Amino acid sequence: MKDKIKILFISLLGALLMLSGCDFLDIEPHGELDDKAVWSSKIQVDKIMASMYSAMDVLNLHQDEPWVGLSDECDLAWAVYSTFSKNLGNWSEYDTFGDKYERKYQAIRQTLELEQNIHRCTEIGAIEQRNYIAEARFLRAYYYWQLLRQYGPIVLMDDVYSYNSDFSQFMRSPYDECVDHIVDLLKQAEEGFYDDFPSATDIARPRKITCKALKSIVLHHAASPQFNGGYAKYANFKNPDGVQLISTTYDENKWKKAA
């Protein structure tokens, strides 16, 4: 008799769960925010902005960056430096030392997400929203510049694509197009920034003068012989569709832009 009651109770419970299953399961997990909750809160938007900055290289630059120790600028003979073993030949194509590609593109995606969604946050006024967008554009330009400097011509993203997208079909843009895009982003950021720092806590953030400084660096690199017709070997540096990635023709106007 007890067994029959148990079976009947379980059956009734199962039926109730089936009838109310959608409502029962359709809840937000504790500790997680949905899209609406994220973009309606200034605190959450500020967290996204902080996450963008996390892609910057700021810690242990002398120790974890490969550029000095793997060049002729100096010889790092102390094993605590990651370049020490590399100079002994202890590395292969599987070594990810100095690989910045993935994290920079993650931050670039975040800047695009913020630019597309910041208007949804009513806790942030219109003028302040404009400054948020300028900051996101500066960071996007800065990360593009870091990628361009390390990897050469890069893929320029113009939208927030699905994670299921076939990114192998995204082609590199020619070097000069990458430079133009970075400079354009910096001009847009410069126009959107406050004329001055709104508070002392913002003094480390980029502003108009920061845009000018980075623009100068990018344009000087573009005018240098390495990217201004100085290397004939670039003639065969092309995308699979045949697009030339670095010009082999000298352009004096690049120096005028840099000046």
Side-chain angles (χ1 to χ4, degrees):
M1 185 64 181
K2 289 182 180 180
D3 291 338
K4 289 182 179 181
I5 293 174
K6 287 181 180 179
I7 294 172
L8 180 60
F9 176 77
I10 293 171
S11 300
L12 289 171
L13 180 61
L16 288 170
L17 288 174
M18 290 178 65
L19 289 172
S20 60
C22 294
D23 294 333
F24 181 75
L25 297 174
D26 190 19
I27 59 172
E28 286 295 321
H30 292 295
E32 294 186 18
L33 298 173
D34 61 14
D35 185 70
K36 182 179 178 180
V38 168
W39 293 110
S40 62
S41 166
K42 184 180 186 301
I43 293 176
Q44 296 304 323
V45 172
D46 285 339
K47 287 181 180 180
I48 292 173
M49 181 65 74
S51 180
M52 293 180 202
Y53 277 95
S54 69
M56 281 193 172
D57 306 317
V58 293
L59 299 175
N60 300 325
L61 292 181
H62 66 295
Q63 183 173 319
D64 297 333
E65 293 291 337
W67 317 127
V68 175
L70 294 181
S71 70
D72 293 330
E73 294 180 33
C74 72
D75 181 18
L76 298 175
W78 190 19
V80 69
Y81 291 96
S82 299
T83 53
F84 175 78
S85 62
K86 307 300 181 293
N87 285 324
L88 296 178
N90 298 330
W91 64 322
S92 70
E93 67 272 24
Y94 302 107
D95 200 307
T96 59
F97 174 58
D99 182 8
K100 309 298 176 65
Y101 200 84
E102 182 178 354
R103 182 64 192 99
K104 301 297 182 187
Y105 270 110
Q106 288 173 345
I108 287 169
R109 177 188 173 88
Q110 288 178 313
T111 67
L112 287 163
E113 287 180 322
L114 183 137
E115 194 169 336
Q116 292 179 10
N117 291 283
I118 187 68
H119 67 278
R120 297 164 59 187
C121 188
T122 57
E123 294 181 1
I124 302 175
I127 296 176
E128 196 176 1
Q129 283 187 17
R130 180 179 172 183
N131 193 76
Y132 273 74
I133 292 173
E135 204 164 340
R137 286 175 177 169
F138 172 83
L139 289 174
R140 186 153 75 248
Y142 179 68
Y143 292 140
Y144 273 144
W145 162 238
Q146 289 191 313
L147 289 166
L148 184 67
R149 185 178 60 178
Q150 181 169 347
Y151 297 102
I154 53 174
V155 176
L156 297 174
M157 310 300 289
D158 57 1
D159 201 355
V160 180
Y161 293 95
S162 166
Y163 289 114
N164 296 322
S165 300
D166 184 3
F167 291 103
S168 66
Q169 299 301 312
F170 287 61
M171 293 292 102
R172 291 181 172 193
S173 294
Y175 187 91
D176 290 340
E177 286 186 18
C178 293
V179 169
D180 290 344
H181 187 69
I182 292 170
V183 169
D184 186 53
L185 283 172
L186 291 171
K187 288 179 179 178
Q188 293 176 37
E190 187 178 344
E191 293 171 359
F193 274 130
Y194 295 122
D195 291 329
D196 201 355
F197 298 105
S199 67
T201 57
D202 293 320
I203 200 166
R205 294 181 181 274
R207 283 296 178 264
K208 292 179 182 291
I209 191 63
T210 327
C211 297
K212 293 179 185 294
L214 181 56
K215 187 164 53 175
S216 175
I217 294 171
V218 173
L219 289 172
H220 270 87
H221 272 255
S224 68
Q226 186 175 2
F227 302 108
N228 193 11
Y231 288 87
K233 62 183 179 181
Y234 286 149
N236 295 320
F237 186 23
K238 301 178 180 179
N239 271 335
D241 57 4
V243 172
Q244 183 79 35
L245 289 175
I246 299 181
S247 175
T248 56
T249 303
Y250 176 72
D251 182 1
E252 186 177 354
N253 192 52
K254 290 183 178 180
W255 283 113
K256 294 179 180 179
K257 290 181 178 180

